[in-house]
C-alpha cells in the first residue's frame, strides 16, 4: 500500500510509524485513519516486528487531533475498526507501542498517546483534551483512559477546563514516562524500545495482555484466570520459555525467537 499520510521505517524488530501531515500539525482525517489502521494491522501481524514507536513529522507537533478544517469544509468523518489513527480502539495488539511525543498532542493526538503503552515526551510537548472549546468531546478514548491513568480528580481537572499541560506536568501527573530534551523524543522512545527488545517478546506480550485483561476484572479473578489468557499459554508453549532458563544457566545472553 502506498502511504500518503504516514511513513514507516523498520529498525530490526522495531517499527517506527510517523504521522506525516506537517502542514496541519499532523492532524488526521478519514483517509489518514484508514491508512494508519492498515499500518498497525501490518505491524501486529508481522512476527519479525516486536515493538512500535509512533511519532509526528516535523518539530512542532505529534498530532493536533481531528482535522477540524477538513471537517468544517464538509469532509467526511470516520475511521476504521482500530479507531483514531488505527490505535484508540485497538484492544487486541499485545505488542508494546510507544508514543514519542515531539510537540503538540491535542485532542485526538493526546488520545493516540494515551492509547500507547508508554509516552516519551520532549520538553516542548503539550497535552490537552480541548474538545469542549469547539463543542465536541474526547470520544476516541480520552474520557475513559485519562481517569484510569491519572485518577478521577486529576483527569476531571484537565478535561473540564480543557487546559494545556506541559510535558513536565504530564510526568508529575503520571501519564508521561520520561521527559527528554527538545528534538530527542524519537531517540528517547527508541532507547525504551531497545530495552524492551532485550526481553522475550513472548513474555512481553503475555505481560501486556495479562495487565490489560486483569484490570478489567477483580484482582482475585485476574490471578485465578491469568494462566488461561492466550498470550500466557503461547508463552508457556514457546521456544523462548525454554531458551530463557537455559541461557541463564549457561551464563550467556538468550537468543529470543518470538515463538
Amino acid at each position: 500500500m502506498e502511504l500518503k499520510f504516514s511513513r514507516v521505517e523498520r529498525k530490526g524488530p522495531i517499527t517506527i510509524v510517523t504521522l506525516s501531515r506537517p502542514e496541519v500539525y499532523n492532524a488526521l482525517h478519514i483517509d489518514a485513519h484508514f491508512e494508519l489502521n492498515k499500518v498497525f494491522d501490518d505491524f501486529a501481524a508481522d512476527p519479525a516486528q516486536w515493538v512500535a514507536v509512533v511519532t509526528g513529522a516535523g518539530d512542532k507537533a505529534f498530532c493536533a487531533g481531528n482535522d477540524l478544517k477538513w471537517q468544517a469544509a464538509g469532509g467526511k468523518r470516520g475511521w476504521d475498526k482500530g479507531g483514531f489513527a488505527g490505535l484508540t480502539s485497538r484492544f487486541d495488539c499485545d505488542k508494546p507501542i510507544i508514543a514519542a511525543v515531539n510537540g503538540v498532542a491535542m485532542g485526538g493526538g493526546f488520545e493516540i498517546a494515551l492509547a500507547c503503552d508508554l509516552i516519551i515526551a520532549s520538553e516542548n510537548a503539550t497535552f490537552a483534551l480541548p474538545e469542549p472549546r469547539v463543542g465536541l468531546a474526547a470520544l476516541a478514548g480520552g474520557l475513559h483512559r485519562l481517569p484510569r491513568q491519572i485518577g478521577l480528580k486529576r483527569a476531571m481537572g484537565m478535561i473540564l477546563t480543557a487546559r494545556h499541560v506541559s510535558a513536565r506536568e504530564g510526568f508529575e501527573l503520571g501519564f508521561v514516562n520520561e521527559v527528554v530534551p527538545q528534538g530527542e523524543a524519537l531517540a528517547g522512545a527508541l532507547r525504551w524500545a531497545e530495552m524492551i527488545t532485550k526481553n522475550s517478546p513472548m513474555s512481553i506480550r503475555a505481560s501486556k495482555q495479562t495487565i490489560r485483561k486483569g484490570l478489567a476484572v477483580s484482582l482475585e479473578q485476574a490471578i485465578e484466570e491469568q494462566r488461561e489468557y492466550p498470550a500466557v499459554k503461547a508463552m508457556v508453549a514457546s521456544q523462548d520459555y525454554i531458551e530463557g532458563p537455559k541461557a541463564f544457566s549457561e551464563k550467556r545472553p538468550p537468543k529470543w525467537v518470538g515463538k
Side-chain angles (χ1 to χ4, degrees):
M1 178 181 68
E2 181 185 358
L3 300 179
K4 297 180 179 179
F5 311 110
S6 62
R7 302 194 305 269
V8 176
E9 179 185 359
R10 293 179 176 84
K11 289 189 173 184
I14 302 169
T15 294
I16 303 168
V17 180
T18 302
L19 312 178
S20 188
R21 300 188 75 218
E23 70 281 3
V24 289
Y25 284 66
N26 301 318
L28 302 179
H29 58 5
I30 185 170
D31 293 340
H33 292 311
F34 274 79
E35 177 177 298
L36 286 160
N37 191 76
K38 180 63 166 58
V39 165
F40 285 108
D41 277 350
D42 290 346
F43 162 70
D46 188 344
Q49 295 302 295
W50 297 357
V51 184
V53 173
V54 57
T55 192
D59 58 3
K60 295 181 179 179
F62 172 71
C63 175
N66 181 39
D67 189 340
L68 293 178
K69 291 183 178 179
W70 168 274
Q71 180 180 336
K76 184 180 178 182
R77 295 190 64 194
W79 44 66
D80 209 336
K81 63 184 185 301
F84 200 95
L87 280 178
T88 60
S89 295
R90 186 174 294 274
F91 298 106
D92 59 353
C93 181
D94 298 318
K95 298 178 182 181
I97 302 174
I98 304 172
V101 180
N102 54 312
V104 170
M106 296 290 165
F110 188 20
E111 290 175 297
I112 295 169
L114 289 172
C116 294
D117 301 297
L118 302 174
I119 297 177
I120 312 304
S122 60
E123 290 175 333
N124 64 314
T126 307
F127 303 87
L129 294 176
E131 284 85 350
R133 293 185 180 178
V134 291
L136 304 173
L139 299 178
L143 298 181
H144 302 291
R145 285 192 170 97
L146 192 59
R148 285 167 167 79
Q149 294 183 21
I150 68 173
L152 179 60
K153 290 296 189 290
R154 287 179 169 186
M156 284 290 196
M158 284 187 66
I159 293 164
L160 300 184
T161 63
R163 71 185 183 90
H164 292 191
V165 166
S166 68
R168 187 61 58 185
E169 185 179 356
F171 179 78
E172 293 169 355
L173 288 170
F175 65 79
V176 170
N177 292 87
E178 183 183 3
V179 180
V180 297
Q182 184 171 347
E184 296 184 18
L186 180 56
L190 287 172
R191 175 166 42 81
W192 281 79
E194 287 163 2
M195 286 192 288
I196 292 171
T197 61
K198 294 184 184 300
N199 303 308
S200 164
M202 303 301 291
S203 297
I204 293 298
R205 292 167 206 166
S207 298
K208 177 176 172 177
Q209 187 179 98
T210 298
I211 291 167
R212 297 249 175 172
K213 287 182 174 290
L215 286 174
V217 298
S218 70
L219 176 61
E220 180 181 359
Q221 184 178 346
I223 293 174
E224 183 177 324
E225 296 178 350
Q226 62 185 354
R227 292 190 179 274
E228 296 303 314
Y229 295 161
V232 173
K233 294 174 79 170
M235 176 191 71
V236 173
S238 71
Q239 295 178 40
D240 285 358
Y241 196 70
I242 298 170
E243 168 64 7
K246 184 178 180 182
F248 179 82
S249 66
E250 295 175 356
K251 297 182 180 180
R252 61 172 175 81
K255 297 177 182 178
W256 306 122
V257 294
K259 59 181 180 179

